[in-house]
Amino acid sequence: MRKLVAGNWKMNGNRENLLEIKKVSDRFSGSDVDIIVCPPFTLLSAAKEIAANIFIGAQNLHVDNSGAYTGEISADMLEDLGVTHAIIGHSERRTECSETNDVVARKVKTALKKKLNAIICIGESEPERKENKTLSVLKEQIYGSLKDITGTENIIVAYEPIWAIGTGRTPSLAEISTTHDSIRLNLLEMYGSSASNIPILYGGSVNGLNASEIFSVANVNGALVGGASLSFDTFSPIIKAIENKT
Ligand code: PEP
């Protein structure tokens, strides 16, 4: 399975920050890791032009391909720019934009029709974790977010415990291992052996110091990185760490 690191810039970055993406693209030319940077929509086109050696992804897309949806961006438009990946169902969108599993599944379907790689985010909240509901919440999110999706091609799952995002806190390695194994089992239940090729990323406060140990966990195939992806200096140690995973 290919190793993968995706950076989610969220609502950060102006044109002057494009240099960070270019540095990543130049430094990791020829890497065996799929590197994806997802800047805000305003930078997608310019990022695509200056970063030939990495993939450029979007942070969201609309369910429909065109129409009267003021302010929205479609899979068609992303395809037109040469964007190859889209983050779908990030917890911030699930919480702040009321994106349900059903909406996420519809967006995944739209993305796959355009051959966009769908990075589908799942993760439990802190109260759910405290009530020992993590694995059941994740199972429900996996089944719901992949409802009616029949194949595994172009599917990437990102496990992001909500309480670990932007907090500097991470689950223990044993917890990450249990969770990722369970996600893999859920995917195998749904899709059979082809699910063994679905990359499962860990996300939530990954940095240059903790990346290597997180990547040492068996079913961790890469990372979805927020804050640390904003600069070359903090993103590149994470990419190097996954390059070293055997
Ligand atoms: C994210 O929001 O997807 C994320 C993982 O953020 P951070 O790395 O900053 O915790």
Side-chain angles (χ1 to χ4, degrees), residues 25-42:
S25 173
D26 291 349
R27 163 64 183 81
F28 291 99
S29 161
S31 172
D32 68 343
V33 176
D34 285 352
I35 303 164
I36 304 132
V37 177
C38 305
F41 286 130
T42 49

Side-chain angles (χ1 to χ4, degrees), residues 8 10 90 92 160 164-167 203-206 224-228:
N8 174 12
K10 310 190 184 185
H90 189 281
E92 286 151 15
E160 300 204 300
I165 293 178
T167 59
S205 296
V206 177
L224 179 54
V225 184

Side-chain angles (χ1 to χ4, degrees), residues 12-72:
N12 295 295
N14 293 320
R15 282 178 295 172
E16 64 183 2
N17 304 101
L18 287 166
L19 184 59
E20 303 303 317
I21 302 180
K22 181 168 167 28
K23 284 197 269 187
V24 172
S25 173
D26 291 349
R27 163 64 183 81
F28 291 99
S29 161
S31 172
D32 68 343
V33 176
D34 285 352
I35 303 164
I36 304 132
V37 177
C38 305
F41 286 130
T42 49
L43 297 180
L44 284 177
S45 187
K48 189 66 206 154
E49 306 235 315
I50 57 154
N53 306 319
I54 60 171
F55 297 103
I56 299 298
Q59 299 171 20
N60 180 36
L61 48 75
H62 194 267
V63 167
D64 288 328
N65 270 316
S66 63
Y69 301 108
T70 303
E72 294 288 343

Side-chain angles (χ1 to χ4, degrees), residues 1-7 31-38 55 84-87 117-120 154-158 180 197-203 206 211 214-215 219-225 235 238-245:
M1 153 145 28
R2 282 189 69 77
K3 298 179 277 188
L4 205 151
V5 173
S31 172
D32 68 343
V33 176
D34 285 352
I35 303 164
I36 304 132
V37 177
C38 305
F55 297 103
T84 49
H85 295 67
I87 298 172
N117 294 280
I119 305 175
I120 304 155
N154 301 122
I155 300 261
I156 298 159
V157 172
H180 278 243
N197 293 323
I198 298 178
I200 306 175
L201 313 182
Y202 168 78
V206 177
I214 292 173
F215 294 146
N219 267 315
V220 175
N221 310 115
L224 179 54
V225 184
F235 197 32
I238 299 172
I239 302 169
K240 284 185 206 151
I242 191 83
E243 277 184 331
N244 291 335
K245 180 176 165 105

Side-chain angles (χ1 to χ4, degrees), residues 180-198:
H180 278 243
D181 286 353
S182 168
I183 293 168
R184 178 73 67 206
L185 276 179
N186 294 154
L187 294 169
L188 287 165
E189 269 163 28
M190 286 182 86
Y191 294 109
S193 58
S194 68
S196 50
N197 293 323
I198 298 178

Side-chain angles (χ1 to χ4, degrees), residues 47-144:
K48 189 66 206 154
E49 306 235 315
I50 57 154
N53 306 319
I54 60 171
F55 297 103
I56 299 298
Q59 299 171 20
N60 180 36
L61 48 75
H62 194 267
V63 167
D64 288 328
N65 270 316
S66 63
Y69 301 108
T70 303
E72 294 288 343
I73 308 285
S74 74
D76 260 354
M77 295 167 182
L78 297 176
E79 189 192 31
D80 183 44
L81 290 182
V83 164
T84 49
H85 295 67
I87 298 172
I88 303 180
H90 189 281
S91 61
E92 286 151 15
R93 294 201 60 86
R94 287 180 185 262
T95 310
E96 287 162 31
C97 307
S98 308
E99 284 193 7
T100 59
N101 287 330
D102 200 49
V103 171
V104 172
R106 287 164 62 208
K107 289 188 174 192
V108 172
K109 216 177 223 181
T110 302
L112 296 182
K113 267 193 204 145
K114 291 285 159 192
K115 299 261 182 272
L116 285 172
N117 294 280
I119 305 175
I120 304 155
C121 300
I122 56 172
E124 82 286 0
S125 66
E126 179 123 63
E128 286 165 343
R129 177 185 191 227
K130 285 196 172 138
E131 289 167 32
N132 281 323
K133 290 185 179 159
T134 299
L135 299 186
S136 60
V137 166
L138 296 179
K139 183 170 184 175
E140 195 181 322
Q141 288 179 338
I142 292 166
Y143 273 81

